[in-house]
Amino acid sequence: MKKKSILIAYDISQPRRLGRVHRYLKKEAIPLQYSIFVTQANQRKIREIIRTIRSIIHEKEDDVRIYELPSDFHINSLGKPLLFKGVSLMLGGLERILQ
């Protein structure tokens, strides 16, 4: 199965659920900011991530978004850098980081 790059962002209203989602995603993806993660996964793994998050959150109070990124995406960053000075993600860079 082909892997896709996905971006996961969340806004969880209750601190306990927030911590559980954050700890789970730290095992599955790379944090870009506290509530934004990126990973590469095949369709089966994406469904597993969705199922696990759904089991943690309260769907009427929390907001989780999962975006499939195009293969040729580009990152623009303003303010505090995502990565250390001199380190950047080029096309295919995410794939190298995630392996």
Side-chain angles (χ1 to χ4, degrees):
M1 269 188 180
K2 185 178 176 188
K3 290 186 175 184
K4 300 175 182 182
S5 296
I6 59 169
L7 183 79
I8 304 166
Y10 59 84
D11 183 13
I12 308 294
S13 64
Q14 198 267 345
R16 184 170 179 219
R17 289 193 307 266
L18 173 69
R20 288 182 65 202
V21 169
H22 186 78
R23 284 188 301 276
Y24 170 71
L25 286 175
K26 280 180 25 180
K27 296 175 190 172
E28 300 295 336
I30 296 172
L32 298 178
Q33 293 183 342
Y34 184 80
S35 62
I36 301 174
F37 287 77
V38 66
T39 191
Q40 285 190 326
N42 60 33
Q43 204 57 43
R44 184 180 61 191
K45 184 65 176 179
I46 293 169
R47 284 192 302 270
E48 176 188 318
I49 290 169
I50 292 169
R51 191 172 40 252
T52 301
I53 293 172
R54 184 172 276 142
S55 74
I56 298 170
I57 69 167
H58 187 288
E59 291 191 30
K60 291 186 178 187
E61 296 178 11
D62 303 327
D63 183 19
V64 178
R65 311 275 173 118
I66 300 174
Y67 301 99
E68 183 179 327
L69 300 173
S71 59
D72 62 346
F73 73 94
H74 179 75
I75 297 173
N76 290 307
S77 178
L78 302 172
K80 185 176 177 182
L82 165 67
L83 301 171
F84 298 108
K85 186 176 181 179
V87 177
S88 62
L89 293 178
M90 305 304 276
L91 292 177
L94 176 61
E95 184 175 288
R96 287 191 301 275
I97 287 174
L98 294 172
Q99 291 182 2

